[in-house]
Amino acid sequence: ELNKSLDAFFKSEEAAIKAKYIVGQGTAFSSIADVYSVMGNSKNARLYYNKAIQLLRKTDNAIGLASALLNAGDEYSKNKKYDLALAYFNESGIIFKKANYLSGTAYNLGNIGMVYAEQGKNALAEKYISEGIKILEELKDYYAISDYLTYMSDIYLKKNEWTTALKYAQRSLMLAQKYGLKEQISNSNLKLSELYQNVGNAKASFKYFKDHIAYR
């Protein structure tokens, strides 16, 4: 219920202003940006990420700042502004590493890898995504792992290594199903549909595509 969520975060921001609590205001702006991003309103998402980053730079909340930078970078990546995305990821990565915040570091590595994958830099993409997955496996964060595995599948598909691509996509779907991650189930099914279409197996491709639509 995104509109209700947005309303609550705006009220949170108002309360933070009254309390003269800059960290609270900054994190509220970051959360508002996250909701706009999910809504597909990229213009407002970028506006509020920038507001959040400006405020959080004035505080000692390193994790809050790094998280806002990470999510802003992800928004730029979605809009194919890859150089900007990498600049945000590089800054957030330094902060996460300094704070020894493993979850943030893992997401940062994975997201950098996804940018490289989009740019066709497969070797770099594989390196960063693999490093991110390794940390996430230790943290048991299967939501992100499932996403990154789909990207790994795509990398190997582009290299014409169909069997390896299939293994990554199947592993992604298995994890998503095991932990009830509906969005990831949808994405993994779509990737498997593409893989089977690629080798001319229309029956299997259609089966996975139907599952993709159902979960989407």
Side-chain angles (χ1 to χ4, degrees):
E1 297 184 36
L2 296 174
N3 287 321
K4 287 183 181 179
S5 175
L6 207 53
D7 185 50
F9 284 132
F10 274 117
K11 286 176 182 172
S12 172
E13 191 260 333
E14 288 168 13
I17 291 171
K18 287 178 185 175
K20 296 180 181 177
Y21 180 43
I22 295 175
V23 171
Q25 192 183 358
T27 51
F29 278 147
S30 188
S31 297
I32 288 164
D34 290 342
V35 178
Y36 277 128
S37 180
V38 173
M39 285 176 160
N41 188 333
S42 187
K43 184 180 176 182
N44 278 357
R46 293 198 302 270
L47 173 70
Y48 280 95
Y49 281 131
N50 287 337
K51 285 185 175 188
I53 290 163
Q54 284 172 17
L55 279 180
L56 291 166
R57 285 195 193 282
K58 298 174 185 176
T59 75
D60 60 357
N61 191 321
I63 302 303
L65 172 59
S67 298
L69 287 164
L70 175 71
N71 290 353
D74 194 40
E75 186 61 32
Y76 283 114
S77 178
K78 278 195 255 181
N79 287 278
K80 303 188 187 305
K81 297 180 187 292
Y82 298 126
D83 289 342
L84 263 174
L86 287 172
Y88 277 92
F89 291 150
N90 287 334
E91 186 179 356
S92 61
I94 291 164
I95 298 168
F96 282 134
K97 196 168 185 180
K98 192 176 177 183
N100 196 29
Y101 190 66
L102 286 177
S103 180
T105 298
Y107 275 83
N108 217 76
L109 289 165
N111 283 13
I112 290 171
M114 289 199 296
V115 169
Y116 284 136
E118 292 293 338
Q119 291 179 320
K121 298 174 181 175
N122 290 339
L124 277 172
E126 189 178 346
K127 175 181 178 288
Y128 278 92
I129 292 173
S130 295
E131 285 177 17
I133 287 173
K134 189 177 177 183
I135 297 169
L136 290 165
E137 282 175 334
E138 291 171 18
L139 299 172
K140 295 180 170 57
D141 186 346
Y142 301 108
Y143 182 99
I145 292 171
S146 181
D147 259 356
Y148 294 143
L149 287 171
T150 304
Y151 262 83
M152 289 291 280
S153 174
D154 209 37
I155 289 165
Y156 279 96
L157 180 59
K158 286 172 184 172
K159 292 199 286 188
N160 292 317
E161 294 183 30
W162 189 86
T163 305
T164 307
L166 183 67
K167 283 178 184 174
Y168 276 111
Q170 286 171 332
R171 188 176 159 208
S172 175
L173 180 60
M174 183 190 72
L175 273 178
Q177 287 173 330
K178 185 176 179 181
Y179 296 100
L181 308 169
K182 289 182 182 178
E183 186 181 347
Q184 280 68 28
I185 293 171
S186 174
N187 293 340
S188 301
N189 273 304
L190 179 60
K191 182 52 59 185
L192 283 161
S193 175
E194 288 172 6
L195 283 163
Y196 280 107
Q197 185 181 34
N198 193 258
V199 291
N201 188 336
K203 187 178 179 181
S205 177
F206 184 58
K207 173 195 172 293
Y208 285 111
F209 191 74
K210 279 203 299 184
D211 288 343
H212 157 64
I213 295 296
Y215 277 92
R216 189 188 67 179

